[in-house]
Amino acid sequence: MQNETKKDIKSLLPGELEAEFAALGLPKFRAKQVFKWLSSGVSSFEEMTDLSRDLRAKLDGLYDITSPVVLRRQTSASDGTEKFLWGLADGNAVESVLMCYDYGNSVCVSSQVGCNMGCAFCASRGGKVRDLRPSEILDQVLWTEKETGKKVSNIVMMGIGEPLDNFDNVVRFLRLINHPLGRNIGMRHISLSTCGIVDGIDALAELDLQLTLSVSLHAPDDETRSRIMPSNRSCGVENLMSACKRYYEKTQRRISFEYIMIDGVNDSDRQASLLAALVRPIGGHVNLIPLNHVEERPLKPSPPERIAAFQKELERMGVNVTVRRSLGGDVDASCGQLRRKAGK
Ligand code: SAH
C-alpha cells in the first residue's frame, strides 16, 4: 500500500522542491540534486549516494518515491514493440507501450486507471477507477528505460484514460518530463491525444506548450460521433471544432485529427467530404487509423480499398492525410487495445 502520510516527492517540480527543502533548512542545490536522481528512476533515497546517510534517512521519513512493479512484459514478435503492465502502489495497474522507430523510441503512456469516456471501439472503456498522479505517469517512461535499457525520445499520451480529464496532473507530468534538470524531453517530441474535452483544449491553449495536440474525431457528424463517442452528446462537433480553431489561433500549432476507419459507420465518401470541410480551414492533418480488433466490440475495420478511397477523397479536397501504421497488434499493444488488467 502507498504510504499516505508521506508526500509524493516525484510529483514536485524543482522550484517546489527547493521551497520544501528550504523549510527543512536545506540549501537549494540539494533540491536540484534530488530532482536529478528522481528523474533518473531511482526507487529509494538509499540510491542517492552523494547525500549523507543522515539526510537520506531524514528524507525517507518524509517522502515517498513511487516505484511500479512489472506485472507483465510482452514483446511483439513482428515489430519488437513492448507492452508493460505496471503494478501501482495501491494495487491498481496500467499499461504503457514502447515503440521503436528510425527517429527514436517512443512511449505511449496512460493517464488514468480506466476511463470514463465510453468510446464504443476502445478496450479501455468501462469506467475510471482513479486519476494517475504525475509521478505515476512519469514512472511509465522512467521504468521503461530502466527495464529495456533504451533511451526514450518521444512521448505520446494515447494510452488508457482521457488526459484532459486529469488536466492538472497531466500538465504537471509534462513539465516534469520537459524540465532541463530532468528527462528534458522537448514539448515538440510530445503528443497529447484527447477525445475532445472543450474546456481542456481551451485551458491547454492558454498554456501554449508547443506539444502536438491530437483530437480523436472519428466522425464528422453529430449523429455518428455521438453513437460511437458518448462524450460528444454534451458537446457536439461544432463546439469541438470551434475549440480546435481557438487552439490553433493561439498556439499556431497544427492539430492532428485521428480518425478510426470503421466499416459502414464512418467511412463513406460523404463523411470524407464533411471531414475535409471541418479540418481544412484550420490546416488540420488527418491520421486515418484502421480499426484495431477489440474482442468484445462488434465493430469491423474498413476494408483497405475503402480506406484508400477515403484517403483519396480527403486529398482531392486538399487535406493533408496519412494512414497510421499499426505496431504491436500481436500483443494487443495497438491504439485502443490497452487495459488495466492482465487478459481482461
Ligand atoms: N482518451 C484519449 C487517448 C486515448 S485513445 C483519446 O480519446 O484520444 C488513443 C487513440 O486510440 C485515440 O485516437 C483513440 O480513438 C484510438 N483508439 C481507440 N480504440 C481504438 C481501436 N480499437 N482501434 C484503433 N484506434 C483506437
Side-chain angles (χ1 to χ4, degrees):
M1 273 303 284
Q2 196 168 297
N3 193 329
E4 294 298 342
T5 59
K6 293 192 197 176
K7 261 195 185 163
D8 173 16
I9 193 167
K10 212 186 293 170
S11 289
L12 299 178
L13 286 154
E16 295 164 331
L17 211 49
E18 274 178 18
E20 288 263 332
F21 280 16
L24 298 173
L26 296 170
K28 278 188 178 175
F29 79 90
R30 287 283 177 222
K32 289 200 179 101
Q33 233 174 353
V34 169
F35 185 79
K36 280 188 194 166
W37 276 116
L38 292 169
S39 303
S40 75
V42 295
S43 46
S44 70
F45 288 101
E46 209 37 56
E47 292 163 69
M48 302 186 185
T49 45
D50 51 3
L51 268 54
S52 71
R53 285 206 178 280
D54 283 355
L55 181 55
R56 285 186 244 168
K58 183 174 179 173
L59 294 177
D60 187 48
L62 295 169
Y63 300 104
D64 176 50
I65 301 180
T66 52
S67 30
V69 292
V70 181
L71 295 180
R72 193 186 51 198
R73 175 177 176 173
Q74 289 167 283
T75 307
S76 159
S78 50
D79 56 48
T81 294
E82 299 222 47
K83 183 168 79 161
F84 290 93
L85 179 69
W86 306 107
L88 309 175
D90 66 353
N92 279 303
V94 286
E95 289 187 318
S96 65
V97 179
L98 171 70
M99 293 155 287
C100 300
Y101 298 98
D102 298 341
Y103 59 80
N105 300 319
S106 183
V107 172
C108 174
V109 296
S110 295
S111 56
Q112 296 177 317
V113 179
C115 184
N116 273 343
M117 300 302 133
C119 298
F121 39 78
C122 184
S124 304
R125 74 182 206 171
K128 176 179 93 174
V129 178
R130 70 169 172 89
D131 288 327
L132 288 182
R133 302 189 302 191
S135 54
E136 292 170 321
I137 308 174
L138 183 61
D139 282 343
Q140 296 169 51
V141 181
L142 302 180
W143 257 253
T144 296
E145 291 188 327
K146 270 169 60 153
E147 290 293 328
T148 63
K150 288 181 179 147
K151 197 87 181 153
V152 171
S153 54
N154 295 65
I155 310 281
V156 290
M157 300 214 67
M158 293 193 184
I160 302 166
E162 169 48 47
L164 299 186
D165 184 40
N166 184 16
F167 191 88
D168 292 345
N169 287 350
V170 162
V171 168
R172 186 172 273 267
F173 155 71
L174 295 172
R175 297 205 188 282
L176 287 167
I177 196 125
N178 176 241
H179 202 284
L181 289 173
R183 282 297 290 99
N184 198 15
I185 295 184
M187 285 292 174
R188 287 176 185 249
H189 290 226
I190 301 175
S191 296
L192 184 149
S193 180
T194 176
C195 68
I197 312 255
V198 165
D199 293 349
I201 294 174
D202 283 331
L204 200 61
E206 284 308 311
L207 299 178
D208 207 355
L209 290 180
Q210 298 300 299
L211 47 71
T212 300
L213 179 66
S214 296
V215 172
S216 296
L217 193 54
H218 306 325
D221 58 283
D222 279 327
E223 204 258 297
T224 314
R225 193 164 195 269
S226 292
R227 192 145 47 92
I228 55 177
M229 300 180 74
S231 63
N232 190 66
R233 291 171 201 158
S234 58
C235 151
V237 171
E238 203 182 316
N239 283 332
L240 172 56
M241 293 311 297
S242 302
C244 291
K245 183 163 178 278
R246 291 192 291 276
Y247 184 90
Y248 179 58
E249 283 167 358
K250 174 89 181 121
T251 64
Q252 288 301 304
R253 302 275 299 156
R254 278 172 194 267
I255 297 175
S256 171
F257 289 91
E258 288 155 288
Y259 199 98
I260 301 178
M261 298 295 293
I262 311 173
D263 188 27
V265 174
N266 64 354
D267 60 354
S268 69
D269 281 346
R270 195 183 109 74
Q271 283 160 318
S273 315
L274 288 173
L275 175 60
L278 291 179
V279 303
R280 205 179 33 199
I282 57 166
H285 176 271
V286 172
N287 213 338
L288 298 178
I289 314 170
L291 176 78
N292 291 315
H293 177 67
V294 174
E295 208 170 76
E296 57 277 31
R297 311 270 168 260
L299 305 168
K300 284 203 222 50
S302 307
E305 56 281 9
R306 182 83 296 266
I307 298 178
F310 197 89
Q311 177 178 16
K312 222 169 146 194
E313 180 63 11
L314 288 174
E315 281 167 349
R316 195 184 64 78
M317 296 193 63
V319 173
N320 200 324
V321 50
T322 45
V323 180
R324 182 182 288 173
R325 187 166 69 102
S326 183
L327 296 178
D330 57 340
V331 289
D332 281 355
S334 303
C335 296
Q337 295 183 317
L338 302 191
R339 295 159 192 270
R340 60 186 177 81
K341 288 189 185 133
K344 244 192 89 189

